[in-house]
Amino acid sequence: MVESVHQVNAAVMDAAGTLLHRWGDIEKPVYLRSAIKPIQALPFVESGAADACNATDREISLACASHTGEDIHVDAVTAWLDRLGLGIEDLECGAHWPSYRPAERALAARGEQPTAAHNNCSGKHTGFLATARHLGEPLQGYIHLDHPVQQRIVRVLEDFTGLDLSRAPIGIDGCSIPTLGVPLDRAALAIARFADPSALGAERAAACHRIQQAIACEPMMIAGSDRLCTALNGSARGAVIAKVGAEGVYLAALPKLGLGISMKTVDGTTRGCEAALGAVLETLGVMTDEMHTAMDGFTRPVLKNWNGFEVGQIEAHLDAAQPEG
Amino acid sequence: MVESVHQVNAAVMDAAGTLLHRWGDIEKPVYLRSAIKPIQALPFVESGAADACNATDREISLACASHTGEDIHVDAVTAWLDRLGLGIEDLECGAHWPSYRPAERALAARGEQPTAAHNNCSGKHTGFLATARHLGEPLQGYIHLDHPVQQRIVRVLEDFTGLDLSRAPIGIDGCSIPTLGVPLDRAALAIARFADPSALGAERAAACHRIQQAIACEPMMIAGSDRLCTALNGSARGAVIAKVGAEGVYLAALPKLGLGISMKTVDGTTRGCEAALGAVLETLGVMTDEMHTAMDGFTRPVLKNWNGFEVGQIEAHLDAAQPEG
């Protein structure tokens, strides 16, 4: 018996704007949330801020991360801030307990409270601070839409989506920065251009490749333990660069094929888009044995209860009846 | 902008089987999960087991609970087992960390691990054990469908739904007991009969009223901190007896009106059915100021991010175009 059903809208596009596949509504604006972080990190690299602070792959991956708040993430953010001459108090993302529950329990067992460094977006915010500092901009208020840090990101998003975003829907993300509503077809185009930036000029292409490499080489930093983003970016060996966002959003760049995938679970659940992403990657022929081993627990999981009994599974079904673009 | 959408199927019925309202598909079987616990607790009361162990309202509420694993729950289960001459090792529900995260952190801070008493279903399982012991049945294996404890529950469910459940879909719940697939219209009938048991005979009616009273008087025991079931059962002062289940199921008995409400979020999310339940209760005219104060944070919440900024809200819309039964 099928107990619950998720509908996932998705688009697959190349960097020239050819729509290869579509499932469901891909014209309605979707808040891209954290799924767009690899593109949000571009100004950090392109401005020279990454070079100025000798950013490592770990730090660039962390600048694209929704991390689990484990010690490796918090230590890396803290050390990076320290190198910038900044502190946790400069982060404007708010504090929350680590999402990885063993990390939360370890923190509690040490009698500590979470700080803004534990916020899943603390790496991105450190990248924002590094960019503002490098460019001599005010640090305070870097989360607001009218700050140069956010304005640069809007312009990059306009470049990649080809849209005038001045009248796009604007929400506030969990970490307090603006998140813009972009239709899935344009989101797929944006992440396809990130995958294949050959038409974007040498400097931008180099920045895209540097971010791709950082995520592929440091998959633990972009998410953490027990997370599909880490399993996928680690096992795909650069063939897929993928990032989840809140409310069931996923964006994936396929550099070798020059393709971008965008998807959103209509009901906002992550398990829906995780299963769908596995199915779409399978359809596109990019799944390897190594990827299956790493990813199947997320993309086609067998569900077990508290006694370890198998009680069900999650399966994705691509609706073949949908028109392909 | 509407970011995510949940579809909730729901039925409202009286104890005579008159369908008062319906939204969406109410004929397809739904695993009732923990939402059916108040009815699953009937054999514990009807068999005399509750009297034999001098069960308090707290314990009867706990027998219907999906609790948060806070100290009050764990202490109550442990003391109850002790009075039965049993121990945590007799519980067959498996162990998991408390769902209420401050309780999880407190446990971790004490350097302890969770036991089966922390399992959200430990109260129900203690009720099962008390029943089996009272009736001289084997204790071991009480979670399996062929054990008298589960067979009695199936017969009670057949009485309340009016269905032959011998060929109903059977799943295994998180706590390892069987969960049966029942269409929402019959689930609404079952919980309406629990709300108004006047036609079920004096003994069964008394058992239903005793369970209703226990839940209304001890709302913390049926769920816990930061949970709609506790807010609703506490603020409704007996006018609504409601219980959530996994995968977006809710059942609510309205004893004063003699009505039953059943609902299931198609995608399985709890936030969907919580919002819908508030809207249906509003439609039925049972919401009081006290209930709004207690419940609105769950049924029509304003969403805040980690900095406390208001970033959105959840709203339920009853589709007036749906045919009413």
Side-chain angles (χ1 to χ4, degrees), chain A residues 99-184:
Chain A
S99 63
Y100 184 59
R101 294 180 68 167
E104 175 181 27
R105 295 193 289 263
L107 198 62
R110 295 197 300 263
E112 297 175 15
Q113 292 287 319
T115 69
H118 294 86
N119 185 305
N120 73 91
C121 299
S122 65
K124 179 178 73 175
H125 282 245
T126 304
F128 290 163
L129 284 166
T131 308
R133 159 142 299 190
H134 177 65
L135 297 175
E137 296 162 356
L139 300 184
Q140 214 171 352
Y142 70 84
I143 58 176
H144 299 300
L145 183 59
D146 57 3
H147 189 281
V149 160
Q150 301 305 330
Q151 283 296 308
R152 259 191 308 272
I153 288 171
V154 173
R155 286 200 301 275
V156 169
L157 255 184
E158 288 184 325
D159 290 349
F160 276 75
T161 61
L163 293 173
D164 170 7
L165 294 172
S166 60
R167 271 173 289 182
I170 297 185
I172 302 175
D173 216 335
C175 69
S176 296
I177 74 158
T179 181
L180 299 180
V182 172
L184 284 180

Side-chain angles (χ1 to χ4, degrees), chain B residues 90-140:
Chain B
D90 293 301
L91 296 171
E92 298 183 356
C93 47
H96 65 73
W97 287 91
S99 64
Y100 184 58
R101 294 179 70 165
E104 175 181 26
R105 295 193 290 263
L107 197 62
R110 296 198 299 264
E112 296 174 18
Q113 291 288 320
T115 69
H118 294 85
N119 186 305
N120 73 92
C121 298
S122 65
K124 178 179 72 174
H125 282 244
T126 303
F128 290 164
L129 285 166
T131 309
R133 158 141 300 190
H134 177 64
L135 296 175
E137 295 162 358
L139 299 184
Q140 215 171 353

Side-chain angles (χ1 to χ4, degrees), chain A residues 45-104:
Chain A
V45 175
E46 292 180 331
S47 68
D51 283 335
C53 71
N54 296 312
T56 61
D57 279 349
R58 288 168 72 84
E59 287 160 350
I60 294 174
S61 184
L62 203 52
C64 304
S66 300
H67 66 71
T68 47
E70 296 173 71
D71 287 346
I72 54 163
H73 307 114
V74 175
D75 292 349
V77 164
T78 307
W80 185 9
L81 284 167
D82 190 53
R83 218 166 68 236
L84 292 166
L86 301 171
I88 290 170
E89 65 281 6
D90 293 300
L91 296 172
E92 298 182 357
C93 47
H96 66 73
W97 287 90
S99 63
Y100 184 59
R101 294 180 68 167
E104 175 181 27

